[in-house]
Amino acid sequence: MNPAPLSQAQAAGGALLSEAQIQAALEPLRGRFTRQKVLVLIPDHTRTLPLPQLFRMLVGILDDVKTLDFMIALGTHPPLDEAQMLKLVGISAEERHTTYRYVGLHNHAWQDPDALATVGVVPQARVMEIAGERWHPTLGGDVQVKLNRAAVEADQIIILGPTFPHEVVGFSGGAKYLFPGISGPEMINVTHWLGALATVRGTIGLKDTPVRALIHEAARHVPTPITLIALVVQGSGLAGVFVGDHISAWSAAADLSSQRHIVWVDKPFKQVLSWAPPMYDELWTAGKAMYKLDPALADGGELIIYAPHLDTVSKVHGKYIYEIGYHTVPYFLNQWERFKHVPLGVLAHSTHVRGSGTWMNGQEHPRIRVTLASRIGPEDCQRLNLGYLDPDTLNPEDFANREAEGVLLVRKAGETLYRVKEGA
């Protein structure tokens, strides 16, 4: 049985925590890491949380450490420049060189071998055991457990991040900030492809998933002690803060997230307009507007990703995505020789955006239609195997208040999961 979190604060009902309550939840960290080298892992701009407030609180509480570095757990997201990093943590350029001059701000460099340290191996047999019925030979053999060298050189790791329903791991947060957050490509690829084999609909919003188990298995190899500050975000504030070891604090946050971030609907919708917010500046992340609504869509229905600000598929992975397009898992598994050169993480993203489906008589049959209304043009959408709508001809309000017709508008999609009630 996991120990209780070191400290926690949870708002009642639909309320939010006050600043004093948040501060009180973090206070037990004061004096715990005196004269130690501390590395704090944080998300990038594609996650909602009051990071500027938390950054200032945490720096104040950790005022007696030897060194304090914040690292953006990018996974394979593009690195942030200096101005973007300052905006992320909410400090000015002047503060950067005065008040916070001793605080490091870094990007994770997942593609730089010199930035990574190998801390262990998860044998193929263990991967097979964890994957269970989801195992497939395309997952490969033993998996090298690599992560940013700064995590090994630190005396303590603190993870600061939110927990939401997640398409790959079930619920985000916790050790996910290690793998894939600051890991090497091996764990990134295997975890995402295992999630794809399990499917979004069979993973998202579930606590116990094969990918979560694999991430926790990899975390056992990390030699540095880990403390987690698990957050449950509601709107612009916090509904919960859980501080403790990375398993118990995450577990408590996932339990609260399941209450705050899942909307249960009586019956599936035939059409959903899923409005991706500007923080998703690539389709690589705006795909969350699909993942969180897919379980609430009827077979044969249509999901429209409405992102009038978006003009990029992926700065890092765009070449591969344009090569393969967006398809279902059976499409790739039944033509593996054509696609085995593509990183598993990219294949996984493709299947997550396209949704589930079947393969019959050499043809792919997706469960639903996925249409993109963005600055990515019709020719590109055709190449990507997605439908196209001109966002300038689309009025989101035309989709509002039509639930009785089987039509749903979600105004800030990507973090709240919609699911159909069991037995509906």
Side-chain angles (χ1 to χ4, degrees):
M1 188 171 180
N2 295 327
L6 171 69
S7 173
Q8 60 182 292
Q10 186 170 328
L16 297 176
L17 296 172
S18 67
E19 183 165 354
Q21 288 174 309
I22 298 169
Q23 181 77 34
L26 298 177
E27 273 299 319
L29 295 176
R30 190 181 298 275
R32 286 179 63 87
F33 310 120
T34 303
R35 293 187 294 277
Q36 296 188 49
K37 295 186 292 183
V38 177
L39 177 68
V40 184
L41 306 181
I42 58 175
D44 67 7
H45 62 286
T46 65
R47 303 294 187 269
T48 299
L49 76 161
L51 187 54
Q53 176 191 33
L54 294 163
F55 174 82
R56 292 174 185 271
M57 285 182 175
L58 202 54
V59 171
I61 287 170
L62 301 176
D63 61 356
D64 64 345
V65 303
K66 181 178 181 180
T67 61
L68 181 59
D69 291 283
F70 285 74
M71 177 170 287
I72 305 166
L74 292 168
T76 66
H77 295 184
L80 277 62
D81 61 27
E82 178 75 7
Q84 291 171 322
M85 285 195 285
L86 297 184
K87 181 179 179 181
L88 183 71
V89 298
I91 63 175
S92 66
E94 180 182 358
E95 287 177 307
R96 177 78 177 93
H97 298 290
T98 55
T99 307
Y100 299 103
R101 64 186 181 277
Y102 63 91
V103 179
L105 291 176
H106 312 280
N107 289 297
H108 170 55
W110 66 281
Q111 283 185 308
D112 181 3
D114 293 336
L116 302 173
T118 301
V119 296
V121 175
V122 179
Q124 182 189 52
R126 181 64 178 133
V127 178
M128 293 176 69
E129 181 182 359
I130 291 171
E133 64 181 10
R134 303 300 184 184
W135 164 258
H136 192 274
T138 53
L139 286 166
D142 299 347
V143 184
Q144 295 287 317
V145 181
K146 299 178 183 178
L147 76 169
N148 196 288
R149 191 174 300 279
V152 178
E153 295 172 349
D155 297 316
Q156 299 283 340
I157 297 169
I158 297 176
I159 299 171
L160 172 68
T163 293
F164 290 104
H166 193 272
E167 60 279 2
V168 173
V169 69
F171 280 93
S172 64
K176 187 177 179 297
Y177 278 76
L178 299 168
F179 310 101
I182 60 164
S183 77
E186 296 85 358
M187 280 297 299
I188 292 173
N189 286 321
V190 169
T191 54
H192 281 73
W193 187 236
L194 176 55
L197 293 168
T199 76
V200 170
R201 286 157 59 86
T203 299
I204 195 165
L206 304 178
K207 272 184 74 173
D208 298 320
T209 66
V211 178
R212 174 57 65 176
L214 182 55
I215 286 173
H216 285 173
E217 179 71 18
R220 292 176 59 245
H221 294 277
V222 179
T224 312
I226 303 164
T227 300
L228 171 63
I229 305 172
L231 310 169
V232 178
V233 177
Q234 191 86 51
S236 59
L238 296 178
V241 177
F242 303 90
V243 183
D245 71 275
H246 77 85
I247 294 178
S248 64
W250 168 81
S251 179
D255 287 341
L256 182 57
S257 176
S258 69
Q259 300 172 30
R260 295 289 187 121
H261 300 145
I262 302 179
V263 174
W264 294 92
V265 301
D266 292 326
K267 58 182 181 180
F269 295 95
K270 63 182 181 182
Q271 188 179 49
V272 174
L273 183 77
S274 190
W275 194 337
M279 69 177 182
Y280 300 138
D281 49 12
E282 301 179 309
L283 188 53
W284 185 264
T285 49
K288 290 182 181 295
M290 158 62 178
Y291 318 146
K292 299 299 193 299
L293 276 302
D294 183 12
L297 202 64
D299 291 354
E302 180 186 29
L303 187 134
I304 302 169
I305 300 175
Y306 179 65
H309 64 281
L310 190 149
D311 61 5
T312 303
V313 172
S314 171
K315 293 176 183 176
V316 175
H317 307 288
K319 177 184 175 182
Y320 278 123
I321 297 169
Y322 272 100
E323 176 188 343
I324 66 175
Y326 286 97
H327 293 280
T328 63
V329 168
Y331 177 89
F332 293 117
L333 291 183
N334 283 280
Q335 305 176 87
W336 192 249
E337 286 299 314
R338 286 180 57 193
F339 301 110
K340 65 181 183 180
H341 67 286
V342 179
L344 294 177
V346 177
L347 293 175
H349 165 76
S350 170
T351 69
H352 287 145
V353 171
R354 196 64 188 86
S356 57
T358 58
W359 178 268
M360 293 185 295
N361 301 320
Q363 293 292 322
E364 177 185 35
H365 300 275
R367 189 184 76 86
I368 63 172
R369 290 176 291 137
V370 180
T371 301
L372 187 59
S374 73
R375 301 301 164 197
I376 299 172
E379 295 83 5
D380 280 12
C381 284
Q382 183 177 18
R383 183 178 173 188
L384 293 167
N385 194 38
L386 298 174
Y388 169 79
L389 276 175
D390 183 347
D392 295 332
T393 65
L394 201 117
N395 181 5
E397 299 309 316
D398 291 341
F399 295 78
N401 304 313
R402 294 176 56 191
E403 287 86 348
E405 303 172 43
V407 176
L408 178 66
L409 167 65
V410 178
R411 298 182 187 276
K412 187 194 174 186
E415 292 180 336
T416 299
L417 170 63
Y418 286 71
R419 295 201 84 118
V420 180
K421 295 176 182 176
E422 290 186 19

